[in-house]
Amino acid sequence: MSFRLFCTTSALALVATTAAAEMNFNRISSFATMANNADPAAESSAEIISASADGMTLAYSDSPLGAVGFIDISDPKAPAAKGSIDVGGEPTAVSIIGTTAFVGVNTSESYTKPSGLLKAYDINTMDELAVCDLGGQPDSTASARDGSFIAVAIENERDEDAGDGRTGQAPGGYVVTLDVAEGQPVCDSLNKIDVTGLAEISPEDPEPEFVDINGLGEIVVTLQENNHIVVISKDGQIYNHFSAGAVDLDQIDATDERGALIFDESQKGRLREPDGVQWIDDAHFAIANEGDMDGGARGWTIFNKDGTEVFEAGNSFEHAIIQTGHYPDKRSDAKGAEPEGMEFATFGDTPYAFILAERASTVGVYDVTDPTAPVLKQMLPSGIAPEGAIAIPSRNLFVTANEADLIEDGGVRSHVMIYEYQEAPAAYPQLTSAGADTLIGWGAISGMVAGEDGIVYAVNDSFYGYQPTIFTIDTNVTPARITKALPVTRAGHAAQKLDLEGITLDGEGGYWLASEGRTDRVIPHAIYHVNADGEIEAEISLPAELLAVEKRFGFEGITKVGDTLWMAVQREWADDPADHVKLVAYNIASKEWGAVHYPKAAAETGWVGLSEIVAQGDFFYVVERDNQIGAAAKIKKVYRIPATEMVPAPLGSVLPVVSKEEARDLIPDLAANGGYVVDKVEGLAIFADGTAWISTDNDGVDDSSGETFFWSPGRF
């Protein structure tokens, strides 16, 4: 185990054991940006975010709508839409001083003819107060601590379809400062600060990305594509400049191998190419090393303003992301988790750095009391693609703006998430692999089964098609901990063509697994018998009677009673009546097949189906859910069926219809997490005493927030 991995594990374990005596950030609410839209069906996005001086109003840039949206957070647990302003271009950033929102607006005609404005608005009346011509395309803004001036990074970004996508494309960018008087920018005070000729990479074409201002009025700016950092004064004096440098990375996944978490690769001399930057104090600042052209060091770094590196996260931030199930495997060959934005603030007596991982959709919270040795305190759940953040220490609040709006795919909308600094245990993560003997990557938890002594076994689904795995989960600790990952193999190699959706114990140390088939991808509908070492010993294909009517949505869950395996079919197949699905039985001894019909709810929108089946005591329990997310979610429930009714009829005959009784509505449980209601409740395990555990599938962080909820609702 590497030293960095040990430190990360220790930090997260500390949260689990002593959090009740500590202050923690917990999410208390979320706000869908579409609530500010005149047309809720229009794409919208929360990107860069700021707060009023009293902390009661949030303002965020909304690029798709060409607007700045406002949120009333006088009650942070019930954020309310406050309207939006059309800014006449693409808003790229917003900073609030007092009650004035200063908005960077890109009005560029083309990459070679960039232009932009700084507009000022009264956040109470939403009146436009002033417009200043910036002469180029703004990217980020920052306000001085005393509100006396604004700094703007003028990126004049390159055309990625020209010149092989490289820098060296005129015109180059620069930095602008403007005085602020009586809540308005003084346009004729505009000072254009030249930062050409400084970087080793394309010195003629700097692309300033992000700016921040310390208590001394000093400005730090990242030149991301140039891999360079500049410290300047308000009047344009260059105090210092230096390369952002490079990092040697190990224990990373640097290959897109189609769904396998394998952290045994290295990258030497990986350029940092920082995006976000924040002063920690008047001498130190932190950078988020997202990367662009040639780099992306997957972590974050703290520098002294004299250019001395005082801390480098290396692989530790990404390892923490891996352990919480948020690692975006499809980005492995690019920039991994992509730390992009960041925020810094002091809550109580503790200075915190908040590091936003765009592709992992999570936030690392670090205690930076000692800038040379930050301590990871928490990993927070966020919406999809956190882009900006704002801390409001006066109200014990922290806020993220999450830019992804998946309306075209029928997915979740862009959200602003609100967290409170409170004396309470950390509510997230609910499942982690921190503390395991090795680094365990995980995600897309599907079927589950209860073992002995609080141990749950779970499988991942086809998202990890090259790495089907059985996970051992210890529910005796908080958060629940993945302690082992057992590969499912054929002839000693990772088994292929599986979509594992169910698992049950065979009573002899091994497992029975249900795989959902998909004919168009040559994935068979099947049952697999796996021994204690994970090796497939038998594959049981479906009988002709079922294959003749099969559809894509097959087995979701498997349970065992005596010699009989029961599998839930997710949705109707060709011979099923409307809103009825099969619960299929297979007798291991006689090899006979049968089924009953289960009456599921009709869908108002999308579809409703089954996700799990568990036999326990006098009942069979199933998870019935719709495929809707957020406010559209209506059905996420556990039902129970009397075991006496589970008498299978022969396939092809008229199947008996079982009765059902609601055991638990899961929507209140999901809503209690402070975010939006997720769609995929996939796993259910019930111990002998009736204690249940439920999990959600995070889709391997593909168009998902990456959040996995794993909780016990008590006893059924």
Side-chain angles (χ1 to χ4, degrees):
M1 180 184 297
S2 73
F3 175 74
R4 285 196 178 105
L5 175 57
F6 175 80
C7 290
T8 301
T9 299
S10 299
L12 291 181
L14 181 65
V15 172
T17 57
T18 66
E22 295 185 348
M23 298 294 289
N24 286 289
F25 293 90
N26 285 320
R27 186 170 56 190
I28 57 173
S29 64
S30 62
F31 175 86
T33 60
M34 67 176 182
N36 263 329
N37 296 6
D39 177 8
E43 181 183 358
S44 64
S45 178
E47 296 165 292
I48 304 303
I49 194 160
S50 189
S52 59
D54 63 5
M56 297 294 178
T57 301
L58 300 174
Y60 60 89
S61 59
D62 189 333
S63 177
L65 283 185
V68 171
F70 296 90
I71 309 171
D72 178 354
I73 59 166
S74 52
D75 179 357
K77 294 183 179 180
K82 200 173 178 179
S84 61
I85 299 171
D86 186 332
V87 299
E90 178 197 8
T92 58
V94 58
S95 297
I96 299 179
I97 299 176
T99 59
T100 303
F102 295 82
V103 184
V105 183
N106 178 16
T107 58
S108 300
E109 176 184 337
S110 66
Y111 291 106
T112 57
K113 295 181 179 180
S115 62
L117 307 169
L118 182 70
K119 292 190 172 185
Y121 297 92
D122 185 305
I123 65 172
N124 293 319
T125 65
M126 300 202 182
D127 291 336
E128 184 180 286
L129 303 176
V131 180
C132 303
D133 188 346
L134 297 173
Q137 172 242 321
D139 193 5
S140 69
T141 59
S143 59
R145 306 278 177 88
D146 61 4
S148 63
F149 74 96
I150 286 278
V152 186
I154 306 297
E155 183 177 14
N156 290 344
E157 63 185 352
R158 71 194 189 281
D159 182 353
E160 295 187 14
D161 294 326
D164 294 325
R166 310 297 297 179
T167 49
Q169 300 178 26
Y174 49 92
V175 177
V176 160
T177 60
L178 298 97
D179 291 336
V180 175
E182 298 181 353
Q184 296 192 34
V186 181
C187 294
D188 59 10
S189 71
L190 186 147
N191 182 34
K192 179 179 176 180
I193 302 172
D194 183 12
V195 289
T196 60
L198 303 179
E200 294 181 5
I201 299 171
S202 301
E204 79 287 1
D205 180 25
E207 293 192 15
E209 191 78 23
F210 214 95
V211 290
D212 195 36
I213 305 171
N214 68 9
L216 302 176
E218 298 168 333
I219 304 165
V220 62
V221 56
T222 55
L223 312 181
Q224 184 174 30
E225 289 76 12
N226 311 88
N227 196 43
H228 211 74
I229 299 167
V230 186
V231 182
I232 55 182
S233 69
K234 172 180 176 270
D235 61 7
Q237 179 183 353
I238 296 177
Y239 292 135
N240 197 15
H241 70 92
F242 47 91
S243 169
V247 182
D248 291 338
L249 296 172
D250 60 5
Q251 289 184 285
I252 64 170
D253 187 342
T255 304
D256 180 7
E257 65 293 277
R258 299 186 185 181
L261 300 171
I262 304 171
F263 303 103
D264 61 1
E265 296 178 273
S266 300
Q267 288 179 337
K268 303 300 181 183
R270 187 73 170 175
L271 298 183
R272 290 187 171 107
E273 294 185 348
D275 189 329
V277 61
Q278 291 284 318
W279 289 98
I280 290 175
D281 53 38
D282 287 341
H284 300 90
F285 57 82
I287 57 174
N289 303 319
E290 178 198 24
D292 191 349
M293 296 194 305
D294 304 305
R298 302 179 181 227
W300 65 292
T301 311
I302 297 177
F303 282 99
N304 188 292
K305 63 185 179 183
D306 66 7
T308 304
E309 177 187 319
V310 300
F311 168 76
E312 168 55 46
N315 62 18
S316 64
F317 180 49
E318 194 162 83
H319 280 193
I321 290 169
I322 291 163
Q323 291 168 332
T324 52
H326 278 257
Y327 183 74
D329 185 62
K330 287 189 175 180
R331 300 294 298 180
S332 289
D333 60 342
K335 294 169 283 185
E338 291 191 37
E340 179 174 9
M342 64 190 322
E343 172 66 318
F344 171 82
T346 298
F347 286 78
D349 297 324
T350 306
Y352 289 103
F354 302 87
I355 313 300
L356 281 59
E358 180 186 14
R359 298 291 179 171
S361 296
T362 190
V363 181
V365 182
Y366 287 82
D367 179 340
V368 288
T369 300
D370 179 356
T372 68
V375 177
L376 178 62
K377 303 299 290 184
Q378 287 183 261
M379 296 296 291
L380 300 179
S382 192
I384 304 178
E387 178 80 6
I390 188 70
I392 312 173
S394 63
R395 300 191 65 201
N396 280 334
L397 299 177
F398 171 69
V399 181
T400 63
N402 303 275
E403 67 174 334
D405 189 334
L406 304 181
I407 184 172
E408 290 188 1
D409 300 322
V412 72
R413 308 301 301 273
S414 172
H415 276 73
V416 169
M417 300 288 185
I418 302 175
Y419 311 78
E420 184 176 60
Y421 188 55
Q422 51 186 226
E423 188 174 352
Y428 195 86
Q430 296 177 4
L431 181 63
T432 178
S433 64
D437 292 337
T438 59
L439 180 63
I440 297 177
W442 61 275
I445 296 296
S446 185
M448 301 200 306
V449 64
E452 300 291 335
D453 301 322
I455 298 299
V456 165
Y457 301 94
V459 290
N460 56 8
D461 67 19
S462 62
F463 187 91
Y464 300 104
Y466 280 24
Q467 197 179 49
T469 304
I470 298 171
F471 297 101
T472 300
I473 301 171
D474 184 355
T475 68
N476 296 299
V477 294
T478 302
R481 183 176 300 162
I482 296 174
T483 60
K484 181 180 178 182
L486 178 67
V488 178
T489 58
R490 283 192 184 98
H493 300 285
Q496 305 296 307
K497 299 301 181 183
L498 299 181
D499 181 5
L500 300 182
E501 297 287 354
I503 178 172
T504 195
L505 305 178
D506 70 356
E508 300 175 354
Y511 313 90
W512 286 96
L513 308 179
S515 179
E516 182 178 24
R518 185 161 177 177
T519 301
D520 61 339
R521 295 183 182 175
V522 200
I523 299 174
H525 296 280
I527 306 167
Y528 296 89
H529 191 206
V530 175
N531 65 24
D533 296 323
E535 181 74 10
I536 293 176
E537 294 188 335
E539 176 177 351
I540 300 172
S541 299
L542 270 60
E545 296 93 330
L546 283 177
L547 291 177
V549 295
E550 64 98 3
K551 287 189 175 180
R552 168 185 167 188
F553 301 98
F555 291 163
E556 290 268 343
I558 185 171
T559 192
K560 183 174 180 288
V561 178
D563 286 336
T564 301
L565 298 172
W566 284 93
M567 288 70 62
V569 179
Q570 186 182 67
R571 290 162 62 182
E572 298 97 324
W573 280 14
D575 62 337
D576 293 320
D579 299 319
H580 287 70
V581 293
K582 293 185 184 74
L583 304 178
V584 175
Y586 174 73
N587 188 283
I588 300 166
S590 68
K591 298 182 171 40
E592 294 179 327
W593 292 83
V596 298
H597 265 137
Y598 172 87
K600 66 180 183 64
E604 295 181 12
T605 304
W607 53 261
V608 174
L610 300 184
S611 289
E612 181 68 286
I613 183 169
V614 178
Q616 175 59 38
D618 295 331
F619 297 94
F620 281 66
Y621 295 83
V622 296
V623 174
E624 183 176 336
R625 68 170 181 90
D626 57 22
N627 68 334
Q628 301 301 294
I629 197 166
K634 304 299 181 185
I635 301 171
K636 317 286 182 188
K637 295 184 177 184
V638 177
Y639 286 96
R640 66 182 189 179
I641 305 161
T644 55
E645 297 184 18
M646 296 290 283
V647 180
L651 297 175
S653 67
V654 176
L655 302 181
V657 179
V658 298
S659 62
K660 67 179 186 180
E661 176 187 10
E662 183 176 319
R664 190 174 184 90
D665 184 353
L666 302 178
I667 287 183
D669 294 341
L670 296 168
N673 294 299
Y676 51 81
V677 174
V678 298
D679 58 338
K680 291 191 173 182
V681 183
E682 296 260 330
L684 173 64
I686 306 176
F687 287 97
D689 67 354
T691 300
W693 286 85
I694 300 170
S695 69
T696 62
D697 176 356
N698 72 356
D699 278 334
V701 205
D702 186 25
D703 288 340
S704 165
S705 68
E707 299 173 28
T708 295
F709 299 115
F710 183 89
W711 78 102
S712 174
R715 294 183 179 180
F716 284 155

